[in-house]
Amino acid sequence: MKTELSRTLGIEHAIFGFTPFPAVAAAITRAGGFGVLGAVRYTAPDDLARDLDWMQEHTDGLPYGLDVVMPAKKVEGVSEADVEAMIPEGHREFVRETLAKHGVPELAEGEASGWRITGWMEQVARSQLDVAFDYPIKLLANALGSPPPDVVARAHDHGVLVAALAGSARHARHHADAGIDVVVAQGYEAGGHTGEIASMVLTPEVVEAVAPLPVLAAGGIGSGEQIAAGLALGAQGVWLGSIWLTAAEAELHSRALTAKLLAAGSGDTVRSRALTGKPARQLRTEWTDAWDDPAGPGPLPMPLQGLLVAEAVSRIQKYEVTPLLGTPVGQIVGRMNSERSVRQIFDELTRGFEQAVDRINRIAGRDGQ
């Protein structure tokens, strides 16, 4: 499963695996793909350095990358406290009422929230980059599109390729103009922040829009047959995220959440602003229903919403309040019905890819050639 991009990066298979878990990212790289560690949960630079040290020890000298979240425009002089002060009291009261309705216990006195998405704040992402560029990462991806020009230049100075996610051909052209090296065409089916165009339509549009830049197909991909389809549409690889959530190496630390993922069908997700303030596909829960209810106050813009719900999400996760318990995940969740190791998932993907290619060759009359 080799393409020009996979050869450039020195990987066996053109499978890029995004994950917040170092053990999963390292296992993807060892399996012959390209592991991409999500940095958004690292609010302390030392924590990111610790896990990148671990990645170095467990990737056998093979390449890997980092995914950050930062806006294209640089903003100066805005602290987390400044942003917190913008949150209306009515929204805070709505959070308290919703948690009380479901009997969600408080955190212990003095216990800090374990889930703070201050990683959405630009200054936090920049501190992550200060750490990351001390390591031999080969790719820097940004989930919010093109990073600021100085970040692109800094990555290139370190010999690091820059990737950006795009939900439309128009967005992809902006990335190309900004000097991005790889465009990830993320379709409507994807987990997390995503646009409104389905992968089958989006991928060839983006390929044509940014040629000859390499494009990765993303959204709704979780089988070898779908990988073959993405490459047939002109992509030079695939970007997979959701499929790794139920890998044996994943560190969800919640049997209740794992059980919900394994039981969910492809229709059990929703694009909601409940988590971050931007439309993000996630499991549909009573929490997302509450925020999407017209009778409620509605979500705040990013990053206000993420800061508002951070402690609430920590409490829901800690006490495994099942009706409210969810996570970003794509429509491919319908195929995620058993726990397997990353190696087993990889073997299934490559086997399915070979079978799909063989099938197309037979259809085209090239069987045995």
Side-chain angles (χ1 to χ4, degrees):
M1 202 186 300
K2 290 186 180 295
T3 65
E4 184 178 347
L5 179 60
S6 69
R7 292 187 183 95
T8 297
L9 289 169
I11 57 177
E12 182 181 359
H13 300 296
I15 298 175
F16 294 71
F18 163 78
T19 173
F21 308 123
V24 175
I28 291 167
T29 286
R30 291 197 307 271
F34 190 94
V36 181
L37 178 65
V40 71
R41 69 192 181 109
Y42 294 98
T43 56
D46 288 348
D47 291 340
L48 178 59
R50 177 202 63 216
D51 281 357
L52 288 176
D53 283 338
W54 189 93
M55 290 279 292
Q56 278 293 102
E57 296 171 5
H58 293 83
T59 48
D60 300 336
L62 297 169
Y64 61 91
L66 190 75
D67 179 278
V68 297
V69 179
M70 61 192 313
K73 295 182 179 179
K74 188 173 181 179
V75 180
E76 301 280 5
V78 178
S79 68
E80 182 180 339
D82 294 332
V83 178
E84 287 266 17
M86 301 177 190
I87 298 174
E89 180 57 32
H91 281 73
R92 295 186 188 277
E93 180 60 26
F94 181 75
V95 169
R96 289 191 288 267
E97 290 175 354
T98 303
L99 296 178
K101 175 183 176 182
H102 291 272
V104 182
E106 298 275 355
L107 295 176
E109 185 175 353
E111 181 179 0
S113 167
W115 190 89
R116 294 289 287 175
I117 59 167
T118 50
W120 305 112
M121 305 285 288
E122 181 187 351
Q123 62 267 34
V124 176
R126 287 183 175 274
S127 70
Q128 294 165 349
L129 295 179
D130 290 339
V131 171
F133 287 131
D134 286 335
Y135 293 83
I137 62 172
K138 299 301 182 184
L139 180 75
L140 173 68
N142 186 30
L144 289 184
S146 303
D150 68 297
V151 172
V152 176
R154 186 179 178 191
H156 288 165
D157 287 344
H158 282 82
V160 176
L161 297 180
V162 180
L165 276 65
S168 71
R170 178 175 59 85
H171 292 156
R173 282 190 288 268
H174 288 323
H175 298 340
D177 292 342
I180 298 302
D181 304 292
V182 181
V183 176
V184 182
Q186 180 164 280
Y188 172 82
E189 306 96 325
H193 296 128
T194 184
E196 299 181 351
I197 304 174
S199 298
M200 185 65 72
V201 174
L202 179 66
T203 302
E205 286 187 348
V206 171
V207 168
E208 181 179 353
V210 301
L213 285 184
V215 172
L216 300 178
I221 301 175
S223 72
E225 293 83 356
Q226 291 168 316
I227 293 173
L231 299 185
L233 293 171
Q236 287 198 30
V238 292
W239 177 275
L240 309 184
S242 297
I243 196 70
W244 315 111
L245 285 173
T246 52
E249 296 90 341
E251 304 157 35
L252 282 179
H253 301 307
S254 171
R255 297 309 305 172
L257 180 54
T258 299
K260 289 188 76 171
L261 288 169
L262 295 174
S266 55
D268 292 329
T269 68
V270 62
R271 283 174 76 246
S272 171
R273 294 170 53 215
L275 191 60
T276 70
K278 291 178 71 71
R281 186 171 297 284
Q282 54 203 281
L283 280 180
R284 182 177 180 179
T285 66
E286 293 188 29
W287 178 256
T288 62
D289 286 348
W291 283 105
D292 295 338
D293 188 341
L300 295 167
M302 178 187 275
L304 300 181
Q305 182 70 13
L307 294 173
L308 168 66
V309 305
E311 180 182 322
V313 172
S314 285
R315 290 164 59 186
I316 292 167
Q317 291 176 345
K318 175 179 180 178
Y319 298 109
E320 296 192 332
V321 184
T322 302
L324 303 178
L325 190 62
T327 186
V329 69
Q331 292 179 332
I332 198 64
V333 70
R335 292 184 64 97
M336 296 158 49
N337 48 26
S338 65
E339 288 187 75
R340 296 160 293 162
S341 69
V342 168
R343 170 59 71 176
Q344 288 173 317
I345 295 172
F346 235 88
D347 288 346
E348 183 178 296
L349 293 174
T350 53
R351 185 167 55 249
F353 175 81
E354 291 170 356
Q355 293 170 347
V357 171
D358 288 345
R359 186 161 55 246
I360 294 300
N361 280 335
R362 288 195 301 272
I363 292 170
R366 292 192 296 268
D367 189 25
Q369 295 184 16

